[in-house]
Amino acid sequence: MLARYDISCDKEEAGTIRLGQLRGQQPATRAEYKEAVEACSSMDYIEYNVSQIARRFGLDGTNLGKQLRAHYPGVIERREEVRQRLG
């Protein structure tokens, strides 16, 4: 595992090294979904559901939904509240 991350050390030291877990969103993923997430937060796209917005930006609707739930909490709920209010 240490070789994968290009960490060189002796055997005694290797036992004490702790590798942190990856947390948060990858920068490449953030860039890929950035425009779609902004569209989900925008009133300009309120007439579309999340899957339709994903297709407009060349993304998968399920994955956009997962990104919104994991990294942008509240966006889906606010969208649905506004959509219900507007009819």
Side-chain angles (χ1 to χ4, degrees), residues 33-84:
Y33 286 92
K34 181 182 179 191
E35 291 177 340
V37 169
E38 288 172 357
C40 287
S41 301
S42 172
M43 288 297 291
D44 296 335
Y45 290 90
I46 199 68
E47 67 268 11
Y48 302 111
N49 61 35
V50 173
S51 295
Q52 290 170 326
I53 292 172
R55 282 193 299 272
R56 291 178 73 84
F57 290 95
L59 302 169
D60 180 61
T62 303
N63 291 338
L64 176 58
K66 287 179 183 179
Q67 289 291 317
L68 289 171
R69 283 189 294 279
H71 302 290
Y72 304 95
V75 171
I76 294 176
E77 291 81 12
R78 283 192 303 271
R79 265 187 81 68
E80 291 307 314
E81 286 177 14
V82 170
R83 289 182 66 153
Q84 290 290 326

Side-chain angles (χ1 to χ4, degrees), residues 1-38:
M1 207 52 179
L2 295 174
R4 179 184 297 171
Y5 293 107
D6 198 27
I7 299 173
S8 58
C9 60
D10 59 358
K11 289 183 181 182
E12 292 81 30
E13 188 182 1
T16 62
I17 295 176
R18 305 187 109 222
L19 297 175
Q21 288 185 339
L22 182 64
R23 292 190 174 100
Q25 191 177 32
Q26 292 284 325
T29 307
R30 180 176 292 129
E32 179 181 354
Y33 286 92
K34 181 182 179 191
E35 291 177 340
V37 169
E38 288 172 357

